[in-house]
Amino acid sequence: MSRNTKINLLLLLAVAALAVLPLVLGLGDHKEEPFTGADAEAETAITELKPDYEPWFSPLYEPPSGEIESALFSLQAALGAGVLAYYFGLRRGRRQGEQRALEREADRALTGAAGKSAAERD
């Protein structure tokens, strides 16, 4: 197994552990909604600390349901992942293209040098 394969497997294992361990260890069992987002946690904390607090502004768009909100969040994550994948793929492709161009240039230099040597012998 190559070094890159081992690193990829370790990263995959770490991501799986991060996803499964909170469920297995029962983190959040003492809460009504165990795995709410940071926004909801902050809102709860602010309400407990200062009940008369009023927000400075309201959201531009309030999704009609939690499912639509989740779908929009997933869409945002997918678009971000797509942009990152495109960028890294483009970088890798350019690097490979430059490497191939250098190899072709080196081959031409060797072929040209061999051609000159044969011509000089004649």
Side-chain angles (χ1 to χ4, degrees):
M1 199 176 333
S2 73
R3 183 174 184 263
N4 285 339
T5 305
K6 289 179 185 177
I7 290 172
N8 287 340
L9 287 175
L10 284 173
L11 288 173
L12 184 63
L13 183 65
V15 168
L18 284 173
V20 172
L21 279 177
L23 299 172
V24 171
L25 297 176
L27 300 176
D29 284 347
H30 61 284
K31 297 181 180 180
E32 187 177 317
E33 293 182 39
F35 299 106
T36 58
D39 292 344
E41 293 286 330
E43 186 178 339
T44 303
I46 290 170
T47 306
E48 288 174 3
L49 294 173
K50 201 169 188 181
D52 59 334
Y53 175 79
E54 289 192 30
W56 293 357
F57 55 89
S58 61
L60 297 175
Y61 172 70
E62 187 86 28
S65 70
E67 291 83 10
I68 293 176
E69 186 175 359
S70 293
L72 290 173
F73 182 76
S74 298
L75 178 64
Q76 177 186 358
L79 286 172
V83 167
L84 283 175
Y86 174 77
Y87 171 74
F88 286 121
L90 185 66
R91 271 188 52 190
R92 182 175 183 174
R94 284 184 180 170
R95 188 176 51 227
Q96 286 177 346
E98 289 171 0
Q99 186 177 8
R100 287 181 185 147
L102 289 173
E103 288 172 1
R104 275 188 247 128
E105 207 171 283
D107 287 344
R108 286 183 192 145
L110 287 175
T111 307
K116 287 180 185 177
S117 298
E120 289 172 1
R121 279 188 255 147
D122 291 334

